[in-house]
Amino acid sequence: MELKYVQTTCPYCGTGCSFNLVVKDGKVAGVQPYQRSPVNEGRVCPKGTYAHEFVNREDRLTKPLIKKNGTFEEATWDEAYDLIAEKFKSYKPDECAVLSSARTSNEENYALMKFARGALKTRHIDHCARLCHASTVAGLAASFGSGAMTNSIGDIAESKCLFILGSNTFEQHPLIGRRVAQAKKAGAKIIYADPRYTATGKQADLYMQFVSGSDVAILNGLMQEIIKNGWEDTEFLKNRVKGYEELKATVMKEDYSLENVSKISGIPVEQLKTAAEWIGTAESAAILYSMGITQHTVGVDNVKSIANLQMLTGNLGRPGTGVNALRGQNNVQGACDMGALPVVFTGYQKVIDEAAHKKFADAWGFPDGISEPKNGYEVTVMMDVLTDNPGELKCMYIMGENPMLSDPDLTHVEHAIKNLEFLVVQDIFMTETAELADVVLPAACYAEKDGTQTSTERRVQMWRKAQDPPGEAKDDWKIIAEIAAKMGYADQFAWETAEDIFNEIAAVTPSYHGMNYERLNRPEALHWPCPAEDHPGTPILHGAKFAHPDGFGVMHAIDWKPPAEVPDAEYPYVFTTGRILFHWHTGTMTRRSATLDNEVPTGWIEINPEDAKDLGIKDGETVKASSRRGSIIVPARVTKDIMKGVMFMPFHFKECAANILTNNALDPIAKIPEFKACAVKVEKITEA
Ligand SMILES: Nc1nc2c(c(=O)[nH]1)N[C@H]1C(S)=C(S)[C@@H](COP(=O)(O)OP(=O)(O)OC[C@H]3O[C@@H](n4cnc5c(=O)[nH]c(N)nc54)[C@H](O)[C@@H]3O)O[C@H]1N2
Ligand SMILES: Nc1nc2c(c(=O)[nH]1)N[C@H]1C(S)=C(S)[C@@H](COP(=O)(O)OP(=O)(O)OC[C@H]3O[C@@H](n4cnc5c(=O)[nH]c(N)nc54)[C@H](O)[C@@H]3O)O[C@H]1N2
Ligand code: SF4
Ligand SMILES: [Mo]
């Protein structure tokens, strides 16, 4: 038996842990710790531990599939490419839309971004960051001039006070959770606020349970209490930020007295006082947040409010401080950095900026030009355009996303996707979305390809090929380049290796300029910005000044607004959704990992015991949950861990899909949907 160990980075979350893939006789057979990673220091969570289990599943996609008379038939790559090239060429640029993938490498996202703007010449490219941290990208850019996590993962352990809001860190970023535990052991105070008493809440020194959708009120209340007690950082406010007077006028209003905030949120006044004191008086305080903050119609307001609190207390630019927006997918930071967004090229160079547009048009050299210098549609807007204005968008190319389970209001999504004339899906498994495609293309997974991905702390790390892909599956970037060649653009996609693509990325992207595979090929890798080959990279942002041109941070005066849909007599409960430790989003990989699937085989809805009593529902009983969008049948889990009046569901399970119920109301700036709050009713199922 031939045995080898290939060091690579985890394909699941944005923490960016490293491990070794154990390869037996050419096939990935296990995961072993890799001790030298400064991120995870040899430890991995359950998803990492079993990240080999789905790789060699017999139901991997192995051949291109073309739908004929409603059923898929196996095809050769050439047949698939010819059909796709002919179809793509038949549409006008803005009739085409592209969804890129935070599950794939930087090189693959760059390839698809270049393909969208250069080969299809469309403005409409986006990816799942829209459903995730779009509010962070917009909110932190407005506050600090840069939309990324400010500090590093290791730095969290240095903090004296951690305020975790809308992040279930121990389940969703377990190896960041480990840093929280280290900080606590060293004496830091841990404050946790969440409608659910999660695994993370159970580690906290102060747990505040509240009603989904009251974040701005809570943050304004904390700021009022801090200012009343003189705990604000006057030096920082004077020297580093603008807008303090306006912010103060808003947060000092009677609306945000702790008594009023307590009424809105349900958090007792005493708890809010303690939280304000701990944050206001700590030598260093960091905020960790994630989807509980961003996935709201006020997502951008929530993010700006978090930035306000950290500027008010001067908790930025130093170790143990910061606004730590924990990015979700393994490479969602990278997919954004690569310009898989409707408004920017790589490194956030704006498509509407004439100089940037010319720079990319010149660097790429498409003889017939690139997409117009105009912003395109976001994923959520694409779906609305498809239903509301049929015929405007006609074809779509989806790489590594499964909107038929992950987007809000699935009935609407299905209607939208069925309005397409031509759909290509490129994935590693047959997904709910791929089922609706005209052509399905088989991709290699993380264990089968080289490339880089960028973690939540802006650390750019390598994937290394451990085995060959199954059947005829190919690297995503190769598929893209070969379609481009069929469309007449062989010269623009003439890469031989992933490294060739990375070198092109570094050449056109200032924050990646100083990176190359040789420099990245070491355990600590590099954090962007890394502008030159002798630059060491940048673990902590905003040390001496913010990224705005004048160097100042900007405070925003923000009033609290309720969610788009609030409970009423017909739908009397707040409904919120999220994740669990053992499963990943639409379950394509974790539900095919035998160990993880055994741990948690299906979904449930969490109901507080008092609500259950009112409804006459017992723990474990199957119930009907409905919103204005639809109904599902799902087992009830009666637990005190969820606040009275609020119900929670994980969204991983197609047989009880939470997104049948969710609301696709959008934040006006970020266009992120309100996954974290809508209104539902729950009924007992009575025998027919
Ligand atoms: N195991 C696992 N880990 C994952 C993922 C996965 O699918 N599975 N997905 C990854 C991805 S892409 C992402 S984006 C991250 C997400 O990571 P998290 O944001 O930590 O995960 P969620 O469970 O979506 O939501 C976090 C918490 O928000 C709370 N919440 C609900 N409503 C509100 C509200 O109105 N305000 C506040 N402040 N909180 C609220 C929920 O109760 C929940 O505990 O996880 C990443 N890690
Ligand atoms: N109700 C509710 N809905 C939510 C959320 C929520 O909190 N609540 N969270 C939202 C968030 S934050 C996110 S990030 C989205 C995630 O939404 P999606 O990105 O749609 O979910 P995934 O299941 O991660 O889908 C990724 C797809 O990529 C495929 N894949 C994996 N590796 C590769 C590869 O190397 N190449 C190719 N071509 N394909 C690959 C997988 O098989 C899978 O089909 O869900 C959103 N939806
Ligand atoms: S914490 Fe995230 S990156 Fe680390 S092993 Fe778990 S899923 Fe993978
Ligand atoms: Mo996400």
Side-chain angles (χ1 to χ4, degrees):
M1 186 178 67
E2 197 210 334
L3 202 63
K4 68 174 180 177
Y5 297 86
V6 179
Q7 188 232 324
T8 194
T9 35
C10 181
Y12 285 110
C13 90
T15 304
C17 299
S18 292
F19 51 68
N20 287 318
L21 284 170
V22 184
V23 188
K24 283 189 188 149
D25 292 330
K27 290 257 177 247
V28 168
V31 164
Q32 280 212 338
Y34 172 71
Q35 304 292 348
R36 290 172 60 210
S37 161
V39 180
N40 55 311
E41 300 175 317
R43 287 150 184 94
V44 277
C45 81
K47 289 174 300 299
T49 307
Y50 302 108
H52 59 288
E53 287 189 347
F54 70 85
V55 172
N56 288 308
R57 282 278 304 218
E58 66 291 349
D59 58 348
R60 278 285 301 273
L61 292 170
T62 54
K63 279 196 160 147
L65 303 170
I66 296 177
K67 201 178 265 167
K68 289 182 183 150
N69 304 319
T71 47
F72 284 117
E73 289 179 17
E74 288 184 356
T76 64
W77 277 108
D78 266 331
E79 284 163 349
Y81 287 155
D82 286 336
L83 174 64
I84 293 170
E86 178 206 330
K87 283 282 187 184
F88 280 175
K89 294 210 93 159
S90 74
Y91 295 112
K92 297 199 195 85
D94 285 344
E95 292 173 346
C96 304
V98 173
L99 298 187
S100 197
S101 173
R103 315 309 311 281
T104 65
S105 66
N106 287 322
E107 292 76 0
E108 291 163 331
N109 277 284
Y110 178 81
L112 192 57
M113 189 277 288
K114 184 174 180 180
F115 181 86
R117 298 206 162 105
L120 294 175
K121 308 192 195 298
T122 179
R123 303 177 280 134
H124 309 312
I125 173 167
D126 203 9
H127 75 284
C128 73
R130 186 66 45 206
L131 313 174
C132 186
H133 272 292
S135 324
T136 300
V137 175
L140 293 190
S143 297
F144 304 150
S146 160
M149 173 164 168
T150 62
N151 288 46
S152 67
I153 292 171
D155 184 61
I156 291 168
E158 310 293 315
S159 186
K160 299 286 179 250
C161 176
L162 293 172
F163 181 21
I164 308 177
L165 180 63
S167 153
N168 182 2
T169 322
F170 281 75
E171 291 196 66
Q172 265 66 268
H173 295 90
L175 271 295
I176 297 181
R178 178 171 168 259
R179 301 299 184 173
V180 175
Q182 287 173 340
K184 182 178 156 108
K185 215 169 154 203
K189 293 260 197 303
I190 314 295
I191 307 166
Y192 185 70
D194 198 295
R196 288 173 80 213
Y197 188 43
T198 61
T200 312
K202 288 168 190 159
Q203 304 298 322
D205 299 296
L206 172 63
Y207 168 57
M208 305 191 287
Q209 191 164 47
F210 69 97
V211 190
S212 291
S214 44
D215 297 85
V216 168
I218 297 168
L219 290 159
N220 281 354
L222 294 175
M223 287 190 264
Q224 179 176 117
E225 183 70 7
I226 285 169
I227 296 171
K228 275 190 176 159
N229 286 284
W231 292 323
E232 74 275 22
D233 185 336
T234 39
E235 279 300 297
F236 196 90
L237 291 171
K238 200 168 88 203
N239 300 326
R240 303 240 3 223
V241 307
K242 299 196 293 202
Y244 177 54
E245 289 310 319
E246 293 83 346
L247 171 95
K248 187 172 168 187
T250 295
V251 303
M252 294 312 281
K253 289 194 291 195
E254 180 53 25
D255 304 9
Y256 306 114
S257 68
L258 294 189
E259 289 68 28
N260 274 333
V261 171
S262 177
K263 274 186 215 136
I264 297 170
S265 65
I267 302 176
V269 170
E270 278 313 308
Q271 290 186 1
L272 290 164
K273 275 199 169 147
T274 307
E277 182 177 347
W278 288 1
I279 296 166
T281 60
E283 195 184 305
S284 59
I287 291 193
L288 271 54
Y289 79 85
S290 198
M291 296 303 99
I293 284 296
T294 59
Q295 291 174 333
H296 288 282
T297 45
V298 295
V300 175
D301 284 354
N302 285 348
V303 170
K304 286 177 176 167
S305 299
I306 283 186
N308 286 342
L309 174 61
Q310 292 306 79
M311 288 189 273
L312 180 70
T313 52
N315 275 307
L316 284 157
R318 288 182 288 127
T321 66
V323 171
N324 295 303
L326 306 181
R327 303 298 304 250
Q329 302 257 39
N330 53 319
N331 196 33
V332 65
Q333 181 66 56
C336 292
D337 297 347
M338 293 305 109
L341 295 169
V343 296
V344 286
F345 296 107
T346 68
Y348 309 93
Q349 302 172 76
K350 293 192 168 74
V351 294
I352 55 168
D353 180 271
E354 246 175 67
H357 189 267
K358 183 171 182 319
K359 168 179 165 177
F360 279 86
D362 290 350
W364 288 343
F366 287 90
D368 45 357
I370 66 171
S371 55
E372 289 177 275
K374 272 167 52 181
N375 293 338
Y377 291 148
E378 298 83 359
V379 183
T380 41
V381 173
M382 291 175 192
M383 297 300 171
D384 286 344
V385 168
L386 277 165
T387 52
D388 301 352
N389 196 13
E392 185 184 334
L393 289 172
K394 296 201 168 105
C395 81
M396 198 180 268
Y397 183 5
I398 303 180
M399 165 172 83
E401 291 215 335
N402 190 11
M404 273 299 297
L405 217 47
S406 58
D407 277 13
D409 188 356
L410 293 179
T411 314
H412 170 247
V413 178
E414 181 171 0
H415 180 188
I417 291 186
K418 286 188 168 161
N419 274 354
L420 285 165
E421 283 179 17
F422 187 64
L423 172 65
V424 178
V425 172
Q426 183 167 309
D427 207 290
I428 61 175
F429 291 110
M430 180 57 80
T431 64
E432 292 69 29
T433 307
E435 298 278 3
L436 300 180
D438 298 285
V439 184
V440 176
L441 302 174
C445 81
Y446 81 104
E448 296 148 0
K449 55 195 178 189
D450 293 329
T452 61
Q453 55 176 359
T454 306
S455 74
T456 183
E457 55 175 351
R458 296 168 282 103
R459 196 192 289 265
V460 184
Q461 307 186 98
M462 319 263 312
W463 268 348
R464 295 180 186 83
K465 179 173 173 169
Q467 69 162 48
D468 286 331
E472 296 175 21
K474 294 186 192 189
D475 288 19
D476 286 285
W477 68 264
K478 275 193 191 140
I479 303 173
I480 297 161
E482 286 169 3
I483 298 174
K486 286 271 182 187
M487 292 174 70
Y489 303 113
D491 291 349
Q492 286 74 23
F493 293 82
W495 307 302
E496 302 266 311
T497 61
E499 188 173 2
D500 292 344
I501 308 179
F502 192 85
N503 292 337
E504 185 174 321
I505 295 167
V508 294
T509 313
S511 51
Y512 283 66
H513 216 55
M515 296 185 188
N516 55 50
Y517 271 25
E518 199 187 319
R519 291 195 73 195
L520 296 177
N521 198 8
R522 47 184 192 148
E524 59 278 21
L526 281 168
H527 296 261
W528 68 252
C530 175
E533 284 200 14
D534 55 0
H535 190 284
T538 314
I540 300 183
L541 298 177
H542 316 308
K545 54 188 179 62
F546 289 97
H548 283 302
D550 64 4
F552 284 97
V554 181
M555 289 183 134
H556 296 90
I558 288 163
D559 275 306
W560 173 74
K561 291 190 216 79
E565 189 181 68
V566 292
D568 57 13
E570 200 184 354
Y571 297 97
Y573 298 97
V574 176
F575 180 65
T576 191
T577 61
R579 316 161 149 72
I580 57 163
L581 176 64
F582 292 100
H583 282 292
W584 193 262
H585 299 154
T586 69
T588 58
M589 289 144 75
T590 49
R591 298 193 85 186
R592 285 183 176 84
S593 289
T595 316
L596 301 174
D597 193 47
N598 279 342
E599 286 286 343
V600 183
T602 191
W604 64 84
I605 185 163
E606 286 176 11
I607 306 179
N608 181 278
E610 287 182 47
D611 294 329
K613 201 167 154 229
D614 293 347
L615 294 164
I617 287 168
K618 287 197 265 330
D619 186 39
E621 183 175 337
T622 303
V623 298
K624 181 175 171 193
S626 316
S627 73
R628 289 188 175 79
R629 275 80 46 202
S631 297
I632 54 173
I633 304 294
V634 56
R637 185 176 282 185
V638 177
T639 167
K640 278 194 289 203
D641 289 349
I642 185 78
M643 188 166 192
K644 181 174 166 0
V646 182
M647 299 196 179
F648 169 87
M649 258 190 87
F651 76 100
H652 310 295
F653 305 95
K654 65 175 174 200
E655 64 279 19
C656 45
N659 279 327
I660 297 269
L661 307 181
T662 49
N663 188 1
N664 76 336
L666 304 180
D667 178 286
I669 299 164
K671 309 286 185 203
I672 192 170
E674 195 143 58
F675 285 125
K676 288 291 186 269
C678 69
V680 292
K681 67 177 168 194
V682 168
E683 297 156 286
K684 243 180 128 59
I685 299 177
T686 40
E687 301 289 317

